[in-house]
Amino acid sequence: MTPTGQGQRLVPFPLLYAIPLLFCFAVHWLAIRTWFSGDDFAWLGLPLELHGKLADWLDVFFGPRAQGTVRTLSERVYFLTFTSIFGLNALPFRIWVFLTQFVNIALLIGITRRLTGSRWAALLAPMLWCANAGLAVSMGWSSAYNEICCSFFLLASFYCLLRYTETGWRRYWILQWAAFLLGFGALELIVTYPAIAALYTWLFARPYFRRTLWLFIPSALFTAVHFLFVPKTPDPSYRMYFDASIPTTLWKYWTFSTAAGRPEVLDWRPVWLGIALSILIAIGFLLLLRTNVRLTVFCLAWFVLVLLPILPLKNHVTEYYLTMPVIGLAILGAWALVSYPRAAAVLALLYVVVSITDLRVADQYFYERARRMKKLVLGLQAARPDYKGTVVLLGGVDSDLFWSGFFDDPFRLLGIREIFLTPGSEKAIDPHPEWGGIDRFVIPVDHAQELLADNAVVFEVQHEGVEDVTNTYRSIVAAQYAASHKDYVDVGRPRYEGRLGPGWYPIENGYRWMGKTASLKMTGPQSASQRLAISGYCPGAVLEKGPLDLNVLVNGEKVGSKVFKAPGERFAMDLPVPASAAGQSSITVSLEVDHTTTVASDSRALGMIFGTFRIK
Amino acid sequence: MRRLTILFLCVIALLLPATACKKKRQRGIFKASDDGVLATMVHVADPRAAPQLTKGFYPIENQAWRWTQSKFSVSLRPPLTGPKNGARLVLKFVIPSVVLDKLHSMKLSAKVNGFDLTPEEYTRPGDQTYSRDVPAIALPTTAVNVDFMLDKALPPSPADNRELGVIVSSVGFEAK
């Protein structure tokens, strides 16, 4: 049955194309404004892998990557071309996705018109497709462009087949082959196209059926190569299960395809609504078998056939995998709407409402997620023209921001080789060891202190970008360091300044002079058996008036003394600590010499030179 | 050909508005006004104070407060008179009834620069203030690390995958 008649003349050509395009743009408006996230940063780094050697180019274009995939056109060429020209400007990437989808819509209009004979159905099918919640990620995430790109090759192949069976022109047959073979550079799901082509010719153009069987050869070869030569991923999410889980997975995909059904409540939609609508739509489609068995079988088979390769992935049920399978349902739904407008309109309206609701939530989520990463990466880019040799510490990173792309290292795109979270701030991030964990970004306070002593810079992630807080953070990390190293003081290093009492002169060559008296604070020993170790240096100048007596007191109680007679002596003292000081969180160590010295070029009253104090 | 031209113009007209807003969104993504001076009293909703909230604080909520984990830390500048007279540590926070209904009581303790302060137990929900004198001996001149510890906190749940302690609005030193 092909619904024809008065209605066809009511859809003029410009509207037939313009309405679905406008609808697609309106529904996916946020997607064009969405920046990069997650895997995008891995692909954006492709130019960094090219060093002028042929082997580099071959690897970048044809080397197996994530899960052993080789998606040369939809990932390698796409990202390499756009990032080489536009850098980190996401808009051209997004515009290209929309342009591809607009071509897809045009192809789907042509296909639906030929399958159903109805311009109304041709108008409605792309709208039902674009409204599907499964397209949210495909349209909004550059790394999922492979779905939109492969849809193009699938639709183009099938369109050419339809034209070939209509006209018998050989050029359409050749174009079909070309589109089909190029589709292998977009996504592995193109292997299912021969089944669609064969089913179509079997049902609608039987004389061409045998010719379509040749299409299975590339698919069979690709499948064999994939299973024989591509290393299996250790990721359990991608393990295939050929068992009773397949119908369950199919049902999950069906409920999401037809009613954006989710097992949990995300918004106003109750869980039962998704299940009920899925069942009703399934019944509605089955009833269509009575009036147009061939079209119904073909469209439902399109859904199942394209989904078939991913049904064994029971641990990786992913919404955007539905981008291509739901094309079949969109054609069937459009035909149902034209054939039985009253009955189908209610279901179609419900489908559009729940699906767009879900789609908007997903779009908003990806937009916000990417927006925060954009503010961070572009903020860092604006902060410095060059990060060569500079280590970056980042504070204020929460779990959502971290898992929006830290793992794919967007920072290397700015030339940042080493980036860490400020010590302690990692506590705000879910560690997710199953995703690789956060350990490579975590450093202890001691390490942060050392990096700051070199040329590290510190940024705090703010709502609208980043703020350079290096100076502030120096004080913070010094306080943290002091709090975590209370049993040790090196008076010759600035980080211990806060522990020193009166009587000290500024640091000179990693040491400090004291005057007649000096003091410092450190933690008390854990037990009375621990001892106080002191190191220092006795220069010859202080012995000009004769031997020098040094007394050491802890909390005012004398714990030891030393008489210096030999000039230029490096010394170490090992002293007991009063039992009363044990367990105290803070003790005062006081030093006192019996006389000071003034040298010709220095008016200061000099007592003795000290280095470190340690409770051991 | 005419049809294709019309289509092409429609597509360009659709995509142009998205490019128009580009420059406006690039502003204000980097600030460099860092004087290196820590605040003595920190209002946790003040974005400028964020670097001082070194551990265990979640993002700002309702532009007023932050949830904490069971352990949270802040770096503060002691008052000018701190190293001589000591100071008073003040933490203002809320224990929501939903938390106390499950935990029944919460004990809060603090360490300033490793110096232990007396803990306090809370058994009623609502606004709370933890206030303790800090001896001069624990206060350096530039910055001090303050660690807070709760004996209990709400563990992560399906509704909220965060460990939840208390809701803090401000923390800092008052001069003595």
Side-chain angles (χ1 to χ4, degrees):
Chain A
M1 177 182 172
T2 53
T4 55
Q6 295 289 326
Q8 297 217 39
R9 285 194 295 275
L10 296 176
V11 192
F13 168 82
L15 290 183
L16 179 63
Y17 287 89
I19 291 174
L21 296 192
L22 281 168
F23 181 81
C24 173
F25 195 72
V27 168
H28 295 284
W29 164 249
L30 261 184
I32 203 158
R33 299 169 58 200
T34 303
W35 207 63
F36 305 110
S37 65
D39 296 359
D40 292 346
F41 298 117
W43 298 120
L44 288 168
L46 284 178
L48 303 176
E49 298 177 29
L50 296 172
H51 307 289
K53 294 177 190 166
L54 179 64
D56 296 337
W57 286 90
L58 289 174
D59 182 55
V60 161
F61 283 115
F62 304 108
R65 295 295 164 98
Q67 292 84 48
T69 57
V70 187
R71 297 163 187 167
T72 304
L73 294 175
S74 63
E75 291 176 345
R76 320 297 172 84
V77 173
Y78 172 56
F79 275 96
L80 195 61
T81 305
F82 280 85
T83 195
S84 299
I85 301 170
F86 302 105
L88 288 173
N89 183 359
L91 189 63
F93 289 77
R94 313 273 72 244
I95 288 176
W96 185 253
V97 172
F98 272 75
L99 288 176
T100 313
Q101 182 66 357
F102 289 168
V103 176
N104 288 342
I105 286 171
L107 287 167
L108 183 55
I109 288 170
I111 289 168
T112 310
R113 210 169 73 174
R114 281 169 177 80
L115 283 176
T116 64
S118 164
R119 274 197 171 191
W120 277 110
L123 174 85
L124 292 169
M127 292 167 71
L128 292 176
W129 183 38
C130 291
N132 196 278
L135 267 71
V137 180
S138 307
M139 292 296 290
W141 189 30
S142 295
S143 288
Y145 172 63
N146 52 53
E147 293 283 345
I148 301 296
C149 183
C150 192
S151 298
F152 165 72
F153 289 114
L154 183 73
L155 289 167
S157 304
F158 188 61
Y159 179 79
C160 290
L161 177 68
L162 287 180
R163 297 290 286 148
Y164 176 63
T165 56
E166 268 177 20
T167 63
W169 291 350
R170 186 176 165 75
R171 70 172 185 231
Y172 284 117
W173 182 250
I174 294 167
L175 281 172
Q176 178 212 218
W177 266 95
F180 168 52
L181 293 176
L182 286 171
F184 286 98
L187 192 64
E188 304 76 46
L189 287 183
I190 197 72
V191 294
T192 60
Y193 172 69
I196 292 172
L199 182 64
Y200 172 76
T201 50
W202 176 266
L203 291 171
F204 297 97
R206 190 69 62 90
Y208 298 94
F209 172 70
R210 290 185 69 174
R211 293 199 79 177
T212 61
L213 297 180
W214 290 100
L215 294 164
F216 282 96
I217 294 174
S219 287
L221 285 173
F222 180 88
T223 307
V225 168
H226 188 80
F227 280 104
L228 289 175
F229 296 107
V230 173
K232 285 192 170 50
T233 171
D235 187 343
S237 302
Y238 289 93
R239 192 173 159 197
M240 299 184 110
Y241 295 87
F242 295 93
D243 55 22
S245 65
I246 286 179
T248 312
T249 309
L250 178 63
W251 172 248
K252 282 182 191 169
Y253 279 120
W254 176 263
T255 52
F256 194 78
S257 302
T258 51
R262 291 183 182 275
E264 71 280 354
V265 176
L266 286 185
D267 42 53
W268 58 267
R269 295 170 296 153
V271 172
W272 63 261
L273 178 62
I275 298 168
L277 189 55
S278 294
I279 293 170
L280 285 173
I281 290 176
I283 293 169
F285 281 157
L286 290 175
L287 289 175
L288 292 176
L289 285 168
R290 294 185 308 175
T291 49
N292 192 339
V293 65
R294 286 188 301 167
L295 184 67
T296 307
V297 165
F298 175 71
C299 291
L300 291 176
W302 180 306
F303 175 77
V304 177
L305 288 172
V306 182
L307 207 51
L308 214 50
I310 49 180
L311 288 180
L313 300 171
K314 71 173 182 183
N315 295 328
H316 195 66
V317 176
T318 303
E319 295 154 18
Y320 63 83
Y321 284 168
L322 286 167
T323 304
M324 288 189 286
V326 294
I327 292 172
L329 300 186
I331 297 169
L332 190 57
W335 180 76
L337 268 169
V338 171
S339 304
Y340 306 97
R342 286 185 187 169
V346 178
L347 288 181
L349 191 66
L350 270 172
Y351 157 78
V352 169
V353 169
V354 297
S355 215
I356 290 182
T357 300
D358 195 278
L359 197 145
R360 297 305 296 228
V361 172
D363 274 349
Q364 190 69 38
Y365 171 77
F366 280 100
Y367 172 74
E368 288 298 337
R369 199 171 93 119
R371 184 177 173 276
R372 294 191 64 206
M373 188 54 91
K374 173 185 177 181
K375 297 286 181 189
L376 167 61
V377 175
L378 296 189
L380 290 173
Q381 190 179 42
R384 283 184 158 230
D386 184 10
Y387 282 92
K388 194 174 181 184
T390 305
V391 178
V392 173
L393 302 183
L394 269 184
V397 179
D398 60 36
S399 213
D400 277 349
L401 179 61
F402 184 90
W403 291 112
S404 298
F406 269 57
F407 215 75
D408 293 293
D409 199 359
F411 312 107
R412 77 194 192 291
L413 306 173
L414 308 177
I416 299 173
R417 300 279 177 195
E418 286 187 281
I419 189 163
F420 302 103
L421 301 164
T422 53
S425 69
E426 76 278 2
K427 303 285 180 194
I429 300 167
D430 294 334
H432 284 299
E434 74 280 13
W435 295 345
I438 61 173
D439 288 350
R440 64 185 249 216
F441 294 95
V442 178
I443 54 169
V445 170
D446 299 35
H447 192 183
Q449 179 85 314
E450 285 163 14
L451 293 173
L452 279 168
D454 292 335
N455 65 343
V457 288
V458 188
F459 295 100
E460 182 75 16
V461 177
Q462 303 282 14
H463 181 62
E464 285 300 320
V466 297
E467 184 176 1
D468 187 335
V469 294
T470 308
N471 292 333
T472 301
Y473 196 72
R474 278 185 210 285
S475 305
I476 290 169
V477 84
Q480 288 180 322
Y481 188 90
S484 60
H485 292 79
K486 291 190 65 67
D487 57 354
Y488 178 78
V489 175
D490 184 342
V491 297
R493 300 180 77 172
R495 69 181 65 155
Y496 297 96
E497 193 109 31
R499 307 272 193 85
L500 305 186
W504 295 98
Y505 293 113
I507 295 169
E508 293 173 57
N509 301 320
Y511 290 90
R512 269 184 205 270
W513 278 101
M514 64 172 278
K516 179 88 168 50
T517 61
S519 67
L520 56 90
K521 286 180 278 191
M522 59 196 306
T523 193
Q526 298 291 315
S527 70
S529 63
Q530 286 188 286
R531 298 177 70 82
L532 173 64
I534 301 174
S535 70
Y537 176 69
C538 175
V542 299
L543 302 179
E544 285 177 0
K545 297 179 187 171
L548 182 76
D549 282 356
L550 169 70
N551 288 317
V552 181
L553 300 87
V554 171
N555 291 346
E557 187 179 330
K558 186 175 174 180
V559 294
S561 63
K562 183 174 175 70
V563 179
F564 295 92
K565 296 176 184 169
E569 178 192 358
R570 288 188 185 280
F571 67 89
M573 299 173 74
D574 186 45
L575 306 170
V577 185
S580 60
Q584 288 191 9
S585 59
S586 181
I587 61 170
T588 302
V589 178
S590 305
L591 308 160
E592 189 179 332
V593 289
D594 63 345
H595 66 267
T596 59
T597 305
T598 306
V599 296
S601 58
D602 193 340
S603 61
R604 296 178 299 176
L606 303 173
M608 182 63 69
I609 294 176
F610 285 92
T612 59
F613 295 74
R614 181 195 299 276
I615 299 290
K616 62 172 190 176
Chain B
M1 194 62 198
R2 210 178 113 212
R3 290 175 172 184
L4 282 175
T5 309
I6 292 169
L7 258 181
F8 179 73
L9 290 175
C10 287
V11 167
I12 296 299
L14 277 174
L15 298 177
L16 269 181
T19 61
C21 314
K22 191 76 189 164
K23 278 200 171 171
K24 194 177 75 183
R25 293 199 298 270
Q26 293 295 322
R27 288 184 200 143
I29 54 176
F30 169 63
K31 281 196 286 182
S33 54
D34 179 24
D35 57 10
V37 178
L38 301 188
T40 300
M41 179 64 70
V42 166
H43 295 277
V44 298
D46 181 355
R48 290 170 302 176
Q52 291 183 237
L53 309 175
T54 53
K55 193 169 81 175
F57 283 90
Y58 292 113
I60 301 168
E61 292 183 42
N62 292 342
Q63 299 178 325
W65 39 264
R66 292 175 189 258
W67 274 100
T68 71
Q69 298 175 345
S70 60
K71 293 178 183 173
F72 51 102
S73 303
V74 59
S75 283
L76 298 167
R77 178 168 58 88
L80 289 175
T81 56
K84 190 178 169 193
N85 302 338
R88 191 158 186 80
L89 175 70
V90 179
L91 174 77
K92 291 191 174 173
F93 65 102
V94 172
I95 305 180
S97 52
V98 286
V99 173
L100 219 52
D101 286 349
K102 289 181 182 166
L103 303 178
H104 307 299
S105 71
M106 294 176 96
K107 187 189 278 185
L108 176 68
S109 53
K111 262 185 187 182
V112 176
N113 209 9
F115 189 95
D116 290 315
L117 303 182
T118 318
E120 185 163 345
E121 187 161 23
Y122 299 91
T123 53
R124 288 184 186 173
D127 291 331
Q128 310 287 355
T129 301
Y130 177 82
S131 179
R132 290 288 182 275
D133 283 340
V134 181
I137 199 169
L139 295 174
T141 52
T142 49
V144 64
N145 197 59
V146 184
D147 297 312
F148 293 95
M149 286 140 287
L150 293 161
D151 66 336
K152 297 174 214 164
L154 281 186
S157 66
D160 194 330
N161 62 0
R162 302 175 300 177
E163 180 191 63
L164 297 177
V166 293
I167 295 172
V168 172
S169 55
S170 69
V171 56
F173 288 117
E174 290 176 354
K176 280 173 69 180

